[in-house]
Amino acid sequence: MKIEFEGHHITCNVQYSKRKKISLHMDAQGLVTVKVPNHTSEEVIIQAVKHYGQWIIEKSQLIAKTQETPKEREYVHTGKFLHLGKEYDLNELIDIEDLSEEELKNKLKKFYFTSCKKIIGERIINYQQVLKVKPKSFDIIESRTKWGSCSSDRKLTFNYRLAMAPIEVIDYVIIHELCHLHHMNHDRSFWRRVGSIMPDYKEKEAFLARQGQFMTL
């Protein structure tokens, strides 16, 4: 849902459930989620969001400012790197003793490749059973533009940088590519298939759009 407030557009993810009150939450990436009782009217939801409109705009601007420029990577023991959505000191991920910066970069990239292959190898089994599909193979690659891909010969690829993302985001990319084994394009049938397994897939897409630039070496 998109709501206009004082010249700004606020995009909200509305979730209906058996609850008595409306609650509003903004995550670290700026995604606004409004949880409402079943059968709540659109007008009531709009008024609830506008009530917090100024706070939403101010916090969104603050998040945008902090995300403008990725932090420069420091290849020292206290340098911060993402793994499965959490920050770790470099020496918590790999052994850094007596290695040059270039050697550290190469070793860390190898760590992400190995981690990504292990995680996807474990989790793809469950989703291919749920979706009743089986890829010919999958591989981990380096890409600047794609998080995953599915070829016409049923081979899947996944970007090694996914190892930096939260596990539920990795699951989304796995589901996305497996669904291409049924639908090679992005038509309505494809998105219905994705949504049948992961109803909140748009949140995962938003995460990659906002945070992808920070999932780098």
Side-chain angles (χ1 to χ4, degrees):
M1 176 183 289
K2 289 187 177 180
I3 299 169
E4 188 171 343
F5 177 78
E6 296 185 357
H8 298 275
H9 292 283
I10 299 173
T11 300
C12 304
N13 174 39
V14 181
Q15 296 179 357
Y16 295 88
S17 64
K18 293 181 179 179
R19 57 188 295 123
K20 294 181 179 180
K21 296 181 179 180
I22 295 176
S23 68
L24 185 146
H25 171 73
M26 179 185 288
D27 66 15
Q29 288 73 52
L31 180 67
V32 177
T33 299
V34 187
K35 297 181 179 180
V36 302
N38 289 329
H39 310 301
T40 302
S41 70
E42 185 174 300
E43 183 180 351
V44 170
I45 296 171
I46 291 172
Q47 290 305 315
V49 173
K50 285 186 175 182
H51 179 73
Y52 292 97
Q54 193 60 42
W55 174 82
I56 293 171
I57 298 304
E58 290 176 359
K59 191 169 182 181
S60 296
Q61 291 173 340
L62 180 61
I63 290 172
K65 187 174 182 180
T66 60
Q67 294 180 349
E68 283 177 358
T69 306
K71 296 177 182 177
E72 185 175 346
R73 301 301 179 192
E74 294 184 285
Y75 288 85
V76 295
H77 73 281
T78 56
K80 301 295 183 183
F81 292 86
L82 289 167
H83 185 233
L84 299 183
K86 297 181 180 180
E87 279 195 336
Y88 292 88
D89 290 344
L90 180 59
N91 65 342
E92 293 181 286
L93 300 178
I94 61 172
D95 181 9
I96 69 172
E97 190 173 355
D98 299 324
L99 296 178
S100 67
E101 182 172 318
E102 191 63 29
E103 289 171 329
L104 288 171
K105 288 181 180 180
N106 291 334
K107 189 170 185 177
L108 185 59
K109 181 179 285 189
K110 185 176 180 180
F111 164 80
Y112 283 125
F113 264 90
T114 301
S115 177
C116 191
K117 188 165 188 176
K118 180 177 183 294
I119 294 164
I120 290 178
E122 292 171 349
R123 302 186 74 80
I124 199 171
I125 294 172
N126 175 61
Y127 288 116
Q128 68 185 33
Q129 290 174 345
V130 172
L131 287 162
K132 295 180 172 56
V133 295
K134 188 173 183 180
K136 186 175 182 180
S137 65
F138 82 88
D139 198 12
I140 308 303
I141 64 167
E142 181 173 3
S143 174
R144 283 178 169 270
T145 58
K146 293 182 178 181
W147 294 109
S149 67
C150 174
S151 67
S152 58
D153 57 357
R154 305 178 68 82
K155 293 180 180 179
L156 308 184
T157 63
F158 298 94
N159 194 324
Y160 81 94
R161 294 189 291 123
L162 281 171
M164 304 178 194
I167 196 71
E168 62 270 18
V169 174
I170 299 174
D171 284 349
Y172 160 66
V173 179
I174 292 173
I175 292 167
H176 185 114
E177 300 311 328
L178 286 174
C179 285
H180 276 312
L181 296 175
H182 283 294
H183 309 277
M184 284 302 293
N185 54 22
H186 291 97
D187 59 12
R188 289 184 179 181
S189 296
F190 169 81
W191 289 115
R192 279 198 297 268
R193 191 79 172 184
V194 173
S196 69
I197 307 300
M198 182 173 280
D200 62 347
Y201 71 87
K202 288 185 178 180
E203 292 183 19
K204 312 305 183 289
E205 283 193 319
F207 177 91
L208 290 171
R210 291 187 175 96
Q211 296 297 103
Q213 63 174 320
F214 302 102
M215 293 160 54
T216 59
L217 296 182

